[in-house]
Structures are given as structure tokens and as C-alpha cells.
Amino acid sequence: MATSVYLSNPSVTINSVDLSDQCTAATITYNVEALENTAFGSTARTYTAGLANNSITVTLYQSYAATETEASIYSLVGTTTTLVLQPASGAVSATNPSYTLTGAYLESHTPINASLGELSTIDLTFTGGTLAKATS
Amino acid sequence: MYVIVSPRLGTPGDKFQPVEGTNIDALLSAGFISTDKPKKSSKVKAEPVEE
């Protein structure tokens, strides 16, 4: 039987800080650059693996309270850190794998991103680093 | 030795054991952890028995 995923309770940890309750969206992009190695005699383009170029994007509600979003993120701009994401909170398993991006760089942050009558949110993109998947 | 201050990292008072790549300076500057010694257990000495 086909299964589908409905993520309502994922776990999002940025620099060891659990920000799951401020997060509304998260995307991991596991990417290994394709290097073309097509040569004379080939009838189709071919590629080989280059460097990994991973990234994680998250959307968080902004909060300026102590040890909340702004306090967690502001000092990370221009540095590298580690992010851990899981489809659901709870123990890591084959059906609830953990994805750890180590050495991810945060280039920019929008401390104020507000519109009248709306909750303020921030979109962050962490790039680079090594992605590891754990099932236990 | 770092101690957890914010419950977003774990139980406040416990020793903080960072995963590889954690930006410790950011956590210290924002007050998530401190360099204090962890709390001692709340053992109460028994009163001496008088004979």
C-alpha cells in the first residue's frame, strides 16, 4: 500500500537549540554536483560525482524573547554550525531518520521581516557542510 | 565545561555536551549555556544520632 508523509511534528535543531516550536517549514537539499565527462564517441551526455553542495532552508516565526529565535540565529550569521532535522520528534529509527548537516554556513538573516497584521517570520538558508543520515 | 541554561538545549543545570560543529560562542553570547559548574545533587546529610 502506498504511503504518504504528513509532517506535523518534525524536530528542528539549529546549533543545538531546539526551535521546532517556532518552525513552519524545513527543506533539506542533498546535492552532489554533476561533472560532465562526456567524450568523443559518446552518444549521450554522461556525468560523474563532484563536490557535495548541501543546504537546509527553514522558516521560523520571529521572536525577540530571551533564548528564542532572534537570540538563536543572530550570532550565527557568517559562521558555520550544525543542524539536525527529523521527520518526527522521538527516537531515531529507520522510519524516523535523523539528518545532520555539519559545517553549514549561514550567510544572511533578516532580523526584521514584518508586515502589518501578520506574524513575523524569517527564512534562513544554511549552505555547505556534510550531510549524514542516521537510522538508529 | 558548559552548563545548560535554556530548556531549548535540554535540562537546565545539566552538563552541555555539544555535537560536532556546534557554535559555542553563539550559545554563550545568547545565554543558552554558561561556563558555571553544574549543580550538585540535592543530597541532605542525615542528622547525627544522639545517644
Side-chain angles (χ1 to χ4, degrees):
Chain A
M1 179 180 157
T3 61
S4 60
V5 175
Y6 168 69
L7 295 181
S8 64
N9 191 27
S11 171
V12 177
T13 303
I14 301 173
N15 198 40
S16 296
V17 179
D18 186 350
L19 291 169
S20 304
D21 64 352
Q22 297 282 20
C23 188
T24 62
T27 303
I28 301 173
T29 302
Y30 177 34
N31 179 44
V32 179
E33 292 173 348
L35 302 180
E36 184 168 357
N37 60 359
T38 313
F40 289 155
S42 300
T43 56
R45 294 192 183 279
T46 56
Y47 298 87
T48 188
L51 295 173
N53 188 14
N54 306 303
S55 67
I56 289 179
T57 60
V58 294
T59 301
L60 304 169
Y61 286 117
Q62 177 60 291
S63 172
Y64 303 102
T67 68
E68 289 289 346
T69 307
E70 177 66 5
S72 306
I73 302 302
Y74 189 83
S75 302
L76 296 179
V77 176
T79 71
T80 59
T81 187
T82 296
L83 295 90
V84 183
L85 274 66
Q86 273 183 258
S89 59
V92 175
S93 67
T95 56
N96 187 30
S98 169
Y99 298 91
T100 302
L101 185 60
T102 304
Y105 179 79
L106 179 61
E107 183 178 19
S108 65
H109 163 47
T110 50
I112 293 180
N113 180 28
S115 299
L116 178 66
E118 294 180 359
L119 289 176
S120 178
T121 61
I122 58 173
D123 296 311
L124 302 172
T125 301
F126 295 84
T127 54
T130 304
L131 185 67
K133 178 181 178 181
T135 56
S136 61
Chain B
M1 166 77 78
Y2 301 105
V3 176
I4 295 171
V5 174
S6 167
R8 286 192 178 277
L9 277 76
T11 305
D14 283 0
K15 181 182 175 185
F16 176 62
Q17 295 179 314
V19 298
E20 181 188 354
T22 300
N23 188 326
I24 295 294
D25 290 339
L27 294 176
L28 282 170
S29 65
F32 286 96
I33 59 174
S34 72
T35 54
D36 299 337
K37 292 179 181 177
K39 292 176 185 175
K40 290 183 178 177
S41 60
S42 55
K43 286 181 181 175
V44 179
K45 287 183 179 178
E47 290 184 15
V49 179
E50 294 182 11
E51 297 181 358

